[in-house]
Amino acid sequence: MKTSTETFTAKVYAIAQKIPVGKVATYGQLAALAGSPRAARAVGELMKKNPDRSVVPCHRVVASNGALTGYAFGSGVLTKKEILLQEGVSFVGAKVDLKKSQWNRS
DNA sequence: AGATTGACCGTGT
DNA sequence: GACACGGCCAATC
């Protein structure tokens, strides 16, 4: 029986890996799915400290308003945006079109 | 063990 | 519609 924190962290990473290509999820959404709807901030911490972007597509995680926030790899948000465009995510100016590309969890 | 920070979110002015 | 403030959660120093 692990502490709640480890479960939360594990869930966040697991969920992040479940985000399909061409879709994005908000920090709050990941937090909610992980069991703490208010832990959006903590999710950001996990993404920043994420073990590996190959196992945790942190680039598919954006702010609730669709804006791209920090990125621990490449050139930061610039690289993140490029990757999302590569994935086929719809963009509106400098933000993601959540109406079209927000992850509709199964 | 205590205090501070941080890739956020919601509400108010 | 834009700017400012507070609140929550977990990790890090």
Side-chain angles (χ1 to χ4, degrees):
Chain A
M1 194 57 176
K2 301 292 186 180
T3 53
S4 305
T5 53
E6 296 205 359
T7 302
F8 174 76
T9 305
K11 283 187 176 181
V12 173
Y13 286 130
I15 295 163
Q17 293 171 55
K18 288 165 52 188
I19 302 173
V21 178
K23 295 281 182 169
V24 297
T26 67
Y27 294 96
Q29 186 170 355
L30 282 175
L33 294 172
S36 296
R38 310 297 171 206
R41 235 171 179 170
V43 173
E45 281 295 312
L46 297 176
M47 295 296 110
K48 189 176 72 159
K49 304 298 184 191
N50 87 66
D52 202 319
R53 67 169 174 148
S54 299
V55 299
V56 182
C58 37
H59 58 267
R60 293 184 193 154
V61 185
V62 301
S64 62
N65 64 327
L68 302 181
T69 40
Y71 189 57
F73 301 100
S75 304
V77 298
L78 299 176
T79 300
K80 185 171 174 178
K81 180 181 176 186
E82 291 299 304
I83 295 171
L84 290 173
L85 287 169
Q86 285 286 304
E87 302 276 306
V89 175
S90 297
F91 264 79
V92 179
K95 297 192 186 104
V96 177
D97 187 349
L98 296 175
K99 290 182 174 64
K100 298 179 183 176
S101 301
Q102 183 170 190
W103 178 35
N104 185 7
R105 58 188 178 77
S106 306

